[in-house]
Amino acid sequence: MQEILAKILAKYSPTEAETIQKAYTFAEQAHTDQKRDSDEDYITHPLAVAQILTDFNMDHETVAAGLLHDALEESNYKIETIEKEFGPKISFLVQSVTKLHRVSYSGEKGFIENFHKMILATAKDIRVVLIKLADRLHNLETLDTFKGNKERIAREALEVYAPLASRLGMGELKGIMEDYAFPYVYPEEYKNLLDFVKDQIAENKKYAERIKPAVEKILKENNIRYIRLSARAKHLYSLWRKLQKYEFNLERMYDLVALRVIVPDIVSCYETLGVLHKYWQPLPNRIKDYIALPKPNGYQSLHTTVFCEEGKITEFQIRTEEMNKNADYGIAAHWSYKESKNPIAKKYSWLHQLSEWQNQDLNSEDFWENAKIDFFKDRIFVYTPRGDVIELPEEATPLDFAYAIHSDLGDKCIQAKVNGKIMGITHTLNDGDIIEVVTGKNQKPSQDWLRFIKTSKARTKIKERLRLIG
Ligand code: MN
């Protein structure tokens, strides 16, 4: 245990380390004689949480608060004591995390309230949620020895924490949490999936290792400066979700094992793509430029799928070291205590949206309704005829598109030209569609529209209009 602590302390300045050390001593005291379900000393848990937060590169206040995060719940200490010992910032973090704990899962309603609180905490200070995510990650890691309701913990991970991590751009964390939770929520499906894919994954991994020298040779011959080349297997839960979409056709899972090329700068990303395409023919429609068009959670990378060595279809992911770090740590990679209160809000438009909802004083249920559409859905990018990009949730309709541009356009929308073809307002849009809204002078919003629109913006506007008309 001292070893883990020493490793954490080494990453901070002497005064910061002093605070962390003090928090450790305090937590050890608070949890004296307490055991986890695994029969380990309780302090192993807050220590593991602190270590995860250190891996996220969080500041010393967050790490100290991570050590103290269960001290109020599990002991007789009062928040005043923590404030006196550690100052207002750390005690704010500890208190906020403790509050999130206290609303326990009690059916849909308790869950919604808890979620609402968590989102409000995110908007206030992102560090609270990062502590909570680190806490959950360690609970999932040790779920096999947990004596309470394992399925509940696992289900919350799938329904709340993993999507939250994803929206914060923490892709790796999302994948890890889902894979821990998967066997507890869907035991049968998990077993079947493993039987179904394990040979294929092993084979693809061997293949990736086998062709690495050939790829490296080509990169070197073409003077591409790359930092490293690695093979990455897809996380099981996301693979399962994807397989459901493709009727369990493994042949079409080109990214079962992908090759990742890390290069020093953006120009090298495109150069690498060019070189790969020179030697191996790309599959049409599988080239994704998330550098020019990052995903809403900030994810950046180039993806391409090519007919590679031995005629096998292989996905490549090309990115800089910084993009790679962002893909793993997301918001935590950007978070810096030197910046002002909420510097990342600009980068994350949905965070901005959340604070708007907060200002509208929505009750928990309306908040949840909005969150379900705007927060948990995957996103697509579509275009106006002039080439402006509009970001929408998956399964959005031309009507959502019209309302995203202007509410008057939404009100008058009767159909839309999607890639030149006339489509009805209930049509499902796809990534990359070019859309031209067709309006009718006498068109007006109807109650019916609420049944198929997919964005909270359209929903709010339609409701507003119906009230005026009604
Ligand atoms: Mn905990």
Side-chain angles (χ1 to χ4, degrees), residues 13 19 23 41 58 83 127 144 167 177 183 186 243 249 271 278 280 286 318 328 369 381 388 395 413 456:
S13 77
T19 308
D41 289 336
M58 298 308 292
E83 174 149 13
R127 294 179 295 174
D144 57 333
R167 286 306 254 158
M177 285 182 134
Y186 303 102
L243 275 168
N249 185 349
E271 282 172 355
K278 193 168 104 189
W280 297 303
R286 296 273 314 185
I318 309 158
D328 284 353
E369 277 307 313
F381 294 109
D388 295 327
E395 292 168 10
C413 175
S456 65

Side-chain angles (χ1 to χ4, degrees), residues 218-344:
I218 282 168
L219 294 177
K220 277 183 196 136
E221 274 173 12
N222 287 276
N223 298 317
I224 300 285
R225 292 173 303 137
Y226 67 95
I227 296 169
R228 58 182 187 277
L229 175 69
S230 58
R232 302 274 313 188
K234 199 173 176 65
H235 284 285
L236 281 176
Y237 183 73
S238 72
L239 173 63
W240 180 59
R241 293 285 303 265
K242 200 168 169 187
L243 275 168
Q244 288 175 317
K245 271 198 221 162
Y246 291 94
E247 281 134 17
F248 283 83
N249 185 349
L250 255 193
E251 305 269 287
R252 291 177 65 191
M253 293 300 111
Y254 306 132
D255 59 347
L256 211 54
V257 177
L259 278 165
R260 188 172 291 170
V261 192
I262 307 291
V263 296
D265 50 45
I266 291 180
V267 172
S268 309
C269 290
Y270 290 102
E271 282 172 355
T272 306
L273 184 76
V275 166
L276 295 177
H277 285 175
K278 193 168 104 189
Y279 288 83
W280 297 303
Q281 196 195 340
L283 265 73
N285 304 324
R286 296 273 314 185
I287 306 163
K288 295 265 157 71
D289 185 350
Y290 295 120
I291 295 178
L293 287 175
K295 287 191 183 179
N297 67 7
Y299 178 83
Q300 285 191 301
S301 188
L302 296 177
H303 292 189
T304 186
T305 308
V306 301
F307 294 97
C308 200
E309 294 291 285
E310 304 168 26
K312 274 192 84 136
I313 296 174
T314 307
E315 180 174 298
F316 282 87
Q317 302 169 350
I318 309 158
R319 52 179 81 160
T320 65
E321 192 80 88
E322 200 196 343
M323 291 172 196
N324 195 44
K325 201 173 119 206
N326 288 347
D328 284 353
Y329 296 119
I331 213 161
H334 297 282
W335 197 87
S336 159
Y337 61 96
K338 289 185 199 82
E339 294 175 57
S340 61
K341 226 173 93 204
N342 214 342
I344 39 218

Side-chain angles (χ1 to χ4, degrees), residues 8 28 47 56 67 77 96 115 143 152 158 211 257 279 340 363 365 391 428 442 446 461:
I8 295 173
E28 202 182 27
L47 186 61
F56 289 171
L67 285 164
Y77 283 101
S96 305
F115 175 81
L143 199 53
R152 172 178 71 83
L158 292 186
I211 67 162
V257 177
Y279 288 83
S340 61
N363 64 36
E365 259 125 86
E391 178 205 323
T428 302
N442 301 321
S446 86
K461 289 295 168 199

Side-chain angles (χ1 to χ4, degrees), residues 17-81:
E18 206 176 300
T19 308
I20 296 172
Q21 171 71 60
K22 190 174 156 194
Y24 177 80
T25 311
F26 191 99
E28 202 182 27
Q29 183 77 35
H31 298 298
T32 314
D33 296 332
Q34 289 175 10
K35 294 277 185 195
R36 301 199 81 213
D37 286 349
S38 61
D39 219 35
E40 287 172 293
D41 289 336
Y42 196 90
I43 188 69
T44 56
H45 167 63
L47 186 61
V49 169
Q51 191 180 17
I52 294 166
L53 290 165
T54 306
D55 290 342
F56 289 171
N57 280 319
M58 298 308 292
D59 64 340
H60 74 287
E61 290 170 354
T62 316
V63 175
L67 285 164
L68 298 167
H69 84 274
D70 276 334
L72 293 178
E73 289 256 289
E74 307 287 338
S75 71
N76 296 323
Y77 283 101
K78 298 247 172 324
I79 189 69
E80 289 76 22
T81 320

Side-chain angles (χ1 to χ4, degrees), residues 411-428:
D411 291 344
K412 297 282 171 225
C413 175
I414 50 170
Q415 47 193 194
K417 269 191 199 161
V418 179
N419 307 324
K421 272 196 212 131
I422 287 285
M423 293 292 177
I425 51 175
T426 61
H427 173 76
T428 302

